[in-house]
Amino acid sequence: MPAPERIPPGSLTAVELLDLLAKGELTVRGQVREASNAVLFCSVAYEGQEADCVYKPVAGERPLWDFPDGTLAQREVAAYEVSEATGWGLVPPTVLRDGPYGQGMVQVWVEGDPSASLLALVDGDDPGEGWKAVGPAQIDEDRTALLVHADDVRLRRLAVLDAVINNGDRKGGHLLPAQDGRLYAIDHGVTFHVDDKLRTLLWGWAGEPLPGEALEVLARLDASLAPGAPLAARLAELITPAEVAAVRTRVAALRSAGRHPEPSGQWPAIPWPPV
């Protein structure tokens, strides 16, 4: 039997990638050691095609006291479904399936472009042209600097998505600018809580009016989240009814306010560690 042809993710449609992820044979190649939960680097092969992917088995998840319902894997897939409904394609294709260590999340592996710069530290209070200020960052005992992120439409879209899914852990290491110019975001296990948990590095637009594009996307989301609508039905398979209702509430609140959310002030607004 000939060896499967290894394919770059961009050469297949989203539907074809989902089919490969869901039906292919998973082979574990290694483990991402820095992760707090089990993250396995794998290949997935099906009908003569093969791609790299990430497999996060539910069995390798550490329980979170403030997320007692569902699993990290289910929330990762739910985040992908909402991302797809926006039309922005910010989350790599992701499925929930059985694997060598039981059910888990399987997601296309994205190789980030190391030359892309989305975050920086600058001296002084001026973020500089093309950058948005996040806040002060302690460099060492005697020095602080201003943490900034790029004033980039891709990041702004992601800030809107994070507000919708209530992302409690948007770190710099979760941003993957690909060499084809697209931006992908990963690690969405801490999302969809019914309480406001938004913690992110993307506060640069806090309080600013939402762009027209975002308002149009939110209007479509509002319709697709109506009871019985396809997205609402899909999310109901992955998160609790209260969490689905909370997504509707957040979308409606964003549309009503017409602005990017601001930190609540009830807890640290930036995740730790930030990268």
mmCIF file of all heavy atoms in Angstrom, residues 224-247:
data_model
loop_
_atom_site.group_PDB
_atom_site.id
_atom_site.type_symbol
_atom_site.label_atom_id
_atom_site.label_comp_id
_atom_site.label_asym_id
_atom_site.label_seq_id
_atom_site.Cartn_x
_atom_site.Cartn_y
_atom_site.Cartn_z
ATOM 1 N N SER A 224 -28.647 33.010 13.912
ATOM 2 C CA SER A 224 -28.257 31.598 13.907
ATOM 3 C C SER A 224 -28.304 30.973 15.298
ATOM 4 O O SER A 224 -28.231 29.751 15.421
ATOM 5 C CB SER A 224 -26.851 31.438 13.314
ATOM 6 O OG SER A 224 -25.888 32.089 14.121
ATOM 7 N N LEU A 225 -28.423 31.809 16.337
ATOM 8 C CA LEU A 225 -28.510 31.307 17.707
ATOM 9 C C LEU A 225 -29.957 31.213 18.209
ATOM 10 O O LEU A 225 -30.194 30.807 19.354
ATOM 11 C CB LEU A 225 -27.716 32.211 18.650
ATOM 12 C CG LEU A 225 -26.199 32.090 18.555
ATOM 13 C CD1 LEU A 225 -25.520 33.265 19.242
ATOM 14 C CD2 LEU A 225 -25.720 30.768 19.164
ATOM 15 N N ALA A 226 -30.909 31.567 17.363
ATOM 16 C CA ALA A 226 -32.311 31.452 17.761
ATOM 17 C C ALA A 226 -32.642 29.994 18.068
ATOM 18 O O ALA A 226 -32.072 29.075 17.456
ATOM 19 C CB ALA A 226 -33.211 31.976 16.644
ATOM 20 N N PRO A 227 -33.536 29.740 19.034
ATOM 21 C CA PRO A 227 -33.886 28.351 19.358
ATOM 22 C C PRO A 227 -34.292 27.569 18.108
ATOM 23 O O PRO A 227 -35.105 28.024 17.314
ATOM 24 C CB PRO A 227 -35.065 28.510 20.326
ATOM 25 C CG PRO A 227 -34.821 29.837 20.982
ATOM 26 C CD PRO A 227 -34.236 30.706 19.900
ATOM 27 N N GLY A 228 -33.660 26.412 17.911
ATOM 28 C CA GLY A 228 -33.941 25.571 16.764
ATOM 29 C C GLY A 228 -33.092 25.855 15.554
ATOM 30 O O GLY A 228 -33.064 25.047 14.610
ATOM 31 N N ALA A 229 -32.386 26.983 15.537
ATOM 32 C CA ALA A 229 -31.498 27.300 14.412
ATOM 33 C C ALA A 229 -30.289 26.368 14.449
ATOM 34 O O ALA A 229 -29.921 25.840 15.508
ATOM 35 C CB ALA A 229 -31.060 28.759 14.474
ATOM 36 N N PRO A 230 -29.624 26.137 13.305
ATOM 37 C CA PRO A 230 -28.537 25.142 13.235
ATOM 38 C C PRO A 230 -27.412 25.361 14.244
ATOM 39 O O PRO A 230 -26.960 24.418 14.887
ATOM 40 C CB PRO A 230 -28.035 25.270 11.793
ATOM 41 C CG PRO A 230 -29.218 25.743 11.028
ATOM 42 C CD PRO A 230 -29.954 26.661 11.959
ATOM 43 N N LEU A 231 -26.929 26.594 14.397
ATOM 44 C CA LEU A 231 -25.828 26.821 15.335
ATOM 45 C C LEU A 231 -26.269 26.558 16.763
ATOM 46 O O LEU A 231 -25.542 25.941 17.545
ATOM 47 C CB LEU A 231 -25.294 28.251 15.205
ATOM 48 C CG LEU A 231 -24.145 28.600 16.158
ATOM 49 C CD1 LEU A 231 -22.936 27.690 15.946
ATOM 50 C CD2 LEU A 231 -23.741 30.066 16.004
ATOM 51 N N ALA A 232 -27.474 27.004 17.104
ATOM 52 C CA ALA A 232 -27.978 26.759 18.454
ATOM 53 C C ALA A 232 -28.101 25.263 18.730
ATOM 54 O O ALA A 232 -27.749 24.786 19.820
ATOM 55 C CB ALA A 232 -29.331 27.445 18.641
ATOM 56 N N ALA A 233 -28.575 24.523 17.738
ATOM 57 C CA ALA A 233 -28.716 23.074 17.914
ATOM 58 C C ALA A 233 -27.355 22.407 18.065
ATOM 59 O O ALA A 233 -27.194 21.490 18.884
ATOM 60 C CB ALA A 233 -29.474 22.486 16.727
ATOM 61 N N ARG A 234 -26.377 22.859 17.293
ATOM 62 C CA ARG A 234 -25.034 22.267 17.393
ATOM 63 C C ARG A 234 -24.407 22.583 18.738
ATOM 64 O O ARG A 234 -23.816 21.704 19.377
ATOM 65 C CB ARG A 234 -24.161 22.803 16.257
ATOM 66 C CG ARG A 234 -22.723 22.301 16.290
ATOM 67 C CD ARG A 234 -22.639 20.809 16.222
ATOM 68 N NE ARG A 234 -21.266 20.331 16.198
ATOM 69 C CZ ARG A 234 -20.835 19.232 16.815
ATOM 70 N NH1 ARG A 234 -21.679 18.494 17.538
ATOM 71 N NH2 ARG A 234 -19.574 18.863 16.726
ATOM 72 N N LEU A 235 -24.524 23.824 19.199
ATOM 73 C CA LEU A 235 -23.946 24.184 20.496
ATOM 74 C C LEU A 235 -24.613 23.416 21.637
ATOM 75 O O LEU A 235 -23.955 23.081 22.627
ATOM 76 C CB LEU A 235 -24.073 25.687 20.727
ATOM 77 C CG LEU A 235 -23.222 26.589 19.842
ATOM 78 C CD1 LEU A 235 -23.426 28.051 20.226
ATOM 79 C CD2 LEU A 235 -21.737 26.219 19.931
ATOM 80 N N ALA A 236 -25.903 23.122 21.487
ATOM 81 C CA ALA A 236 -26.621 22.378 22.524
ATOM 82 C C ALA A 236 -26.056 20.974 22.708
ATOM 83 O O ALA A 236 -26.245 20.357 23.766
ATOM 84 C CB ALA A 236 -28.109 22.306 22.197
ATOM 85 N N GLU A 237 -25.356 20.463 21.679
ATOM 86 C CA GLU A 237 -24.707 19.152 21.782
ATOM 87 C C GLU A 237 -23.374 19.225 22.527
ATOM 88 O O GLU A 237 -22.820 18.198 22.907
ATOM 89 C CB GLU A 237 -24.465 18.573 20.387
ATOM 90 C CG GLU A 237 -25.726 18.371 19.569
ATOM 91 C CD GLU A 237 -25.418 17.994 18.117
ATOM 92 O OE1 GLU A 237 -24.243 18.063 17.713
ATOM 93 O OE2 GLU A 237 -26.364 17.644 17.391
ATOM 94 N N LEU A 238 -22.863 20.441 22.726
ATOM 95 C CA LEU A 238 -21.503 20.607 23.228
ATOM 96 C C LEU A 238 -21.423 21.318 24.573
ATOM 97 O O LEU A 238 -20.503 21.051 25.361
ATOM 98 C CB LEU A 238 -20.663 21.378 22.204
ATOM 99 C CG LEU A 238 -20.522 20.713 20.833
ATOM 100 C CD1 LEU A 238 -20.015 21.714 19.804
ATOM 101 C CD2 LEU A 238 -19.584 19.508 20.922
ATOM 102 N N ILE A 239 -22.329 22.263 24.835
ATOM 103 C CA ILE A 239 -22.322 23.014 26.084
ATOM 104 C C ILE A 239 -23.724 22.983 26.688
ATOM 105 O O ILE A 239 -24.671 22.504 26.061
ATOM 106 C CB ILE A 239 -21.845 24.467 25.862
ATOM 107 C CG1 ILE A 239 -22.713 25.188 24.838
ATOM 108 C CG2 ILE A 239 -20.379 24.473 25.416
ATOM 109 C CD1 ILE A 239 -22.327 26.656 24.592
ATOM 110 N N THR A 240 -23.869 23.492 27.896
ATOM 111 C CA THR A 240 -25.140 23.386 28.614
ATOM 112 C C THR A 240 -26.168 24.379 28.068
ATOM 113 O O THR A 240 -25.815 25.387 27.439
ATOM 114 C CB THR A 240 -24.944 23.657 30.112
ATOM 115 O OG1 THR A 240 -24.603 25.044 30.295
ATOM 116 C CG2 THR A 240 -23.826 22.792 30.693
ATOM 117 N N PRO A 241 -27.463 24.127 28.336
ATOM 118 C CA PRO A 241 -28.494 25.080 27.909
ATOM 119 C C PRO A 241 -28.259 26.489 28.464
ATOM 120 O O PRO A 241 -28.486 27.485 27.768
ATOM 121 C CB PRO A 241 -29.785 24.473 28.459
ATOM 122 C CG PRO A 241 -29.512 23.003 28.523
ATOM 123 C CD PRO A 241 -28.064 22.892 28.892
ATOM 124 N N ALA A 242 -27.799 26.576 29.712
ATOM 125 C CA ALA A 242 -27.521 27.894 30.298
ATOM 126 C C ALA A 242 -26.386 28.592 29.567
ATOM 127 O O ALA A 242 -26.411 29.820 29.380
ATOM 128 C CB ALA A 242 -27.186 27.741 31.779
ATOM 129 N N GLU A 243 -25.389 27.832 29.130
ATOM 130 C CA GLU A 243 -24.267 28.418 28.398
ATOM 131 C C GLU A 243 -24.695 28.877 27.006
ATOM 132 O O GLU A 243 -24.228 29.914 26.513
ATOM 133 C CB GLU A 243 -23.110 27.426 28.329
ATOM 134 C CG GLU A 243 -22.420 27.227 29.674
ATOM 135 C CD GLU A 243 -21.490 26.032 29.708
ATOM 136 O OE1 GLU A 243 -21.682 25.086 28.898
ATOM 137 O OE2 GLU A 243 -20.580 26.023 30.557
ATOM 138 N N VAL A 244 -25.566 28.117 26.361
ATOM 139 C CA VAL A 244 -26.088 28.539 25.053
ATOM 140 C C VAL A 244 -26.876 29.834 25.211
ATOM 141 O O VAL A 244 -26.730 30.777 24.413
ATOM 142 C CB VAL A 244 -26.967 27.441 24.433
ATOM 143 C CG1 VAL A 244 -27.591 27.943 23.124
ATOM 144 C CG2 VAL A 244 -26.155 26.179 24.170
ATOM 145 N N ALA A 245 -27.706 29.899 26.253
ATOM 146 C CA ALA A 245 -28.483 31.117 26.500
ATOM 147 C C ALA A 245 -27.561 32.303 26.773
ATOM 148 O O ALA A 245 -27.843 33.435 26.348
ATOM 149 C CB ALA A 245 -29.431 30.899 27.682
ATOM 150 N N ALA A 246 -26.446 32.046 27.470
ATOM 151 C CA ALA A 246 -25.500 33.123 27.762
ATOM 152 C C ALA A 246 -24.833 33.646 26.492
ATOM 153 O O ALA A 246 -24.528 34.840 26.394
ATOM 154 C CB ALA A 246 -24.453 32.635 28.760
ATOM 155 N N VAL A 247 -24.576 32.762 25.523
ATOM 156 C CA VAL A 247 -24.024 33.216 24.240
ATOM 157 C C VAL A 247 -25.011 34.171 23.574
ATOM 158 O O VAL A 247 -24.627 35.244 23.079
ATOM 159 C CB VAL A 247 -23.713 32.030 23.304
ATOM 160 C CG1 VAL A 247 -23.182 32.532 21.970
ATOM 161 C CG2 VAL A 247 -22.700 31.093 23.929
#
